[in-house]
Amino acid sequence: MAQSLVLTLGYRYENIRAEAITIYDESGNLQKITFIDEQIGTLPQLTTNLPRQEVSGNW
């Protein structure tokens, strides 16, 4: 079974919180990046669905 490394970084400033989640395969190649941002205490007014982009190179 292949191993993956998942790294989560969280940031908070006043009532805003952001999180970046990265997933690497067993060779250290970046497989996926996900960003989550939220306003603490309120629901989002607008959602953004950006198109998927392929990232090349050695990360």
Side-chain angles (χ1 to χ4, degrees):
M1 177 185 234
Q3 296 286 322
S4 295
L5 171 66
V6 177
L7 177 64
T8 303
L9 299 172
Y11 305 95
R12 184 173 181 173
Y13 176 73
E14 294 180 355
N15 66 340
I16 300 170
R17 185 169 53 192
E19 192 169 349
I21 303 162
T22 56
I23 301 174
Y24 296 87
D25 67 13
E26 61 187 11
S27 298
N29 298 311
L30 179 64
Q31 297 296 303
K32 185 175 184 178
I33 301 174
T34 301
F35 293 99
I36 302 170
D37 62 332
E38 53 187 285
Q39 295 278 336
I40 299 171
T42 61
L43 296 174
Q45 300 298 315
L46 175 66
T47 60
T48 303
N49 293 318
L50 298 174
R52 180 179 173 172
Q53 295 182 355
E54 295 297 325
V55 178
S56 62
N58 185 6
W59 291 80

